Amino acid sequence: MVADQIPDHASLFINLGTTTEEVAAALANHENLRVITNNLNVATNMSDNKNCQVIVAGGMVRKKDKGITGEATMEFVRQFKVDIGIIGVSSIDQDGGLFDYDYHEVQVTREIIKNSRQVFLVTDHTKFSRNAMVRIDDLSKIDAIFTDKSPATSFQDLLKDKDVSLYVSEEMG
């Protein structure tokens, strides 16, 4: 569903998370993408596409998920302005706040949001009822959210108020 919204020849940031890794896999047939990532799993997957240029951020590698974070990663991200930033989060609060658990990861995600012309949030429905404590930003900074199940009506109203497009895979059938 996300891959359908990404044109060939686009420049992308793809951050940490299993959902963003699935998006990377779905982009396998796209032509001439330029992908900047702090996720070694995404880099490995995307580098198999001969029509794709992959740029990997430097920094500290987390052993648990092959994510790269830290000051060097933030400085690296600041050098670019891309067409689309694809991010995942750990939690979406009822007021539209976006949260994660790792302070270092949050700092990198903030830079990705700042340096993307459009931001796509990819998440599964469990993130709507989970609490994490480190604030990333607000949904108003997101252009579209892609998820697997429709959120509550109150949340859909919040998305409309913040001018965020909603894509739901269960409705795509």
Side-chain angles (χ1 to χ4, degrees):
M1 182 173 59
V2 179
D4 291 343
Q5 301 299 315
I6 297 173
D8 289 338
H9 309 282
S11 57
L12 309 170
F13 281 128
I14 302 178
N15 83 338
L16 306 180
T18 55
T19 308
T20 57
E21 290 171 16
E22 290 298 319
V23 172
L27 292 169
N29 295 319
H30 276 60
E31 297 284 328
N32 298 315
L33 294 178
R34 293 171 317 274
V35 177
I36 302 161
T37 187
N38 62 325
N39 183 328
L40 291 179
N41 295 323
V42 166
T44 300
N45 192 354
M46 297 296 295
S47 65
D48 289 337
N49 179 343
K50 65 181 182 348
N51 298 311
C52 184
Q53 177 186 41
V54 179
I55 304 168
V56 180
M60 181 70 68
V61 178
R62 295 190 314 199
K63 293 185 183 348
K64 68 177 183 172
D65 61 2
K66 306 289 190 259
I68 303 170
T69 63
E71 186 64 36
T73 313
M74 291 169 29
E75 284 299 319
F76 182 82
V77 169
R78 287 183 193 122
Q79 297 178 65
F80 299 91
K81 183 76 170 187
V82 301
D83 298 323
I84 303 168
I86 301 170
I87 65 167
V89 299
S90 293
S91 169
I92 305 169
D93 203 64
Q94 292 180 352
D95 68 358
L98 304 174
F99 293 85
D100 218 310
Y101 296 105
D102 184 310
Y103 176 73
H104 300 289
E105 182 177 342
V106 163
Q107 291 179 310
V108 175
T109 302
R110 286 179 189 149
E111 292 301 325
I112 289 172
I113 291 169
K114 286 181 199 171
N115 292 290
S116 300
R117 291 177 183 90
Q118 287 186 288
V119 180
F120 292 173
L121 171 60
V122 295
T123 189
D124 67 80
H125 70 280
T126 63
K127 305 305 188 326
F128 296 108
S129 60
R130 187 192 266 178
N131 293 318
M133 64 180 230
V134 186
R135 180 179 293 278
I136 299 168
D137 215 318
D138 184 81
L139 272 171
S140 61
K141 301 289 175 68
I142 305 299
D143 295 285
I145 185 169
F146 297 81
T147 190
D148 60 335
K149 294 183 182 178
S150 289
T153 304
S154 60
F155 191 79
Q156 291 180 42
D157 292 341
L158 180 66
L159 290 174
K160 286 178 189 166
D161 290 344
K162 293 182 181 278
D163 198 28
V164 179
S165 299
L166 174 64
Y167 296 84
V168 182
S169 63
E170 71 178 0
E171 294 172 0
M172 305 298 263

